[in-house]
Amino acid sequence: MINYKDLGLSNTADMFKKAMDGGYAIPALNFNNMEQLQAIIQAATESRSPVIIQLSKGAMSYISDSFIPHLAKAAVQYSSDLSNGNPVPIALHLDHGDSLETVKRAISVGFSSVMIDASHYDYDENVRISKEVAEFAHPLDITVEAELGVLAGIEDDVVAEKSHYTNPEEVEDFVKKTGVDSLAISIGTSHGAYKFKPAPGEEIPPLHFDILEGCQSRLPGFPIVLHGASSIPVEAVKLLNQYGGKMDNAAGVPADQVRKAASMAVCKVNIDSDGRLTMTGRIREVFHNKPSEFDPRKYLGPAREDLVELYKDKMKNLLGSAGRC
Ligand code: G3H
Ligand code: 13P
Ligand code: ZN
């Protein structure tokens, strides 16, 4: 059993309190390999932004549990090295945990924060499972995120075809009964690179800010989480398509909408697809322009540099988390 504090990690309690008071949101960025993690930590440290590094159950298996605490400890050390001994606060979070068993697995290898996503069960079952997780995690000083309402999209173990928006009338009862520390809600975002299908010439529909307002007025000062918040940048899709990719009609959440959510009760914004797209586009370009190149550093290196820029831009211009620590 590894204690996250021994790795130099933080849970999300203090991060969320400061984000709520300051009207900004903490970036919660998924990773699957060393280059993505290095880019996240470099961007956060150079921006002086607190950061949540997150792994899905599938990403944990891809990396292998034995590597995870060492990568997390290295992330803290890397931030320290880049800042003359002044690392930014880093939380290691389980994204879309599907059961208490997965939560226990994550905690045993040093996670400081966990999500239990039982949102696809009925209300009472969601309450039961989320409460069980909070009761297990809290004595270990680990923070817990749950979800009410369902986001469409596919992750490894939690699959939903259709969105069901959160009912603001349920949130107070849910938080009271479960004791969770933050709540993911469904207000019109979805996972992946195809979030909206606007007809030609049509605008992307706005998120349901009325639902977010309803939740924040019933839970004053309580941290809300926005999943599926990738913007799917046009330039990244263009680069990818230009060099042999095929991602027509990809569409994400317009930046001004995420910015608005971050200024409200949303304290954690989840972004994965933008990193995946950015990385893949640059690697495709290198493969296309230098077909004889076979040194991984020559294509993963430029992709990592692009990720640093992407994340710095998110911290400074989207979430307002830059310069907060
Ligand atoms: O919302 C889920 C994240 O994008 C992680 O996806 O389960 O494919 O690792 P994954
Ligand atoms: P995106 O697919 O929009 O990046 O969402 C990621 C996410 O919500 C991870 O939990
Ligand atoms: Zn998610």
Side-chain angles (χ1 to χ4, degrees), residues 30 54 95-96 190-192 195 227-230 270-273:
N30 292 70
Q54 55 186 15
D95 192 24
H96 294 283
S190 59
H191 292 108
K195 300 184 190 301
H227 283 245
S230 277
N270 282 24
I271 296 171
D272 186 0
S273 297

Side-chain angles (χ1 to χ4, degrees), residues 16 80 126 129 166 238 303 313:
F16 288 169
S80 177
N126 190 356
I129 298 171
T166 304
K238 206 173 141 200
D313 180 59

Side-chain angles (χ1 to χ4, degrees), residues 257-319:
Q257 307 233 2
V258 179
R259 226 174 268 130
K260 181 171 169 185
S263 74
M264 298 169 68
V266 168
C267 290
K268 171 175 181 273
V269 169
N270 282 24
I271 296 171
D272 186 0
S273 297
D274 283 353
R276 293 180 179 195
L277 265 176
T278 300
M279 197 167 193
T280 307
R282 184 62 68 206
I283 290 172
R284 278 193 176 282
E285 185 194 35
V286 176
F287 284 173
H288 179 272
N289 290 345
K290 299 178 184 167
S292 59
E293 187 55 75
F294 72 106
D295 178 345
R297 292 169 296 186
K298 297 288 167 42
Y299 50 88
L300 292 175
R304 183 173 63 186
E305 281 170 28
D306 284 7
L307 285 179
V308 173
E309 291 317 307
L310 171 80
Y311 295 138
K312 282 173 103 166
D313 180 59
K314 300 272 184 206
M315 291 163 189
K316 184 171 178 220
N317 300 316
L318 192 74
L319 308 178

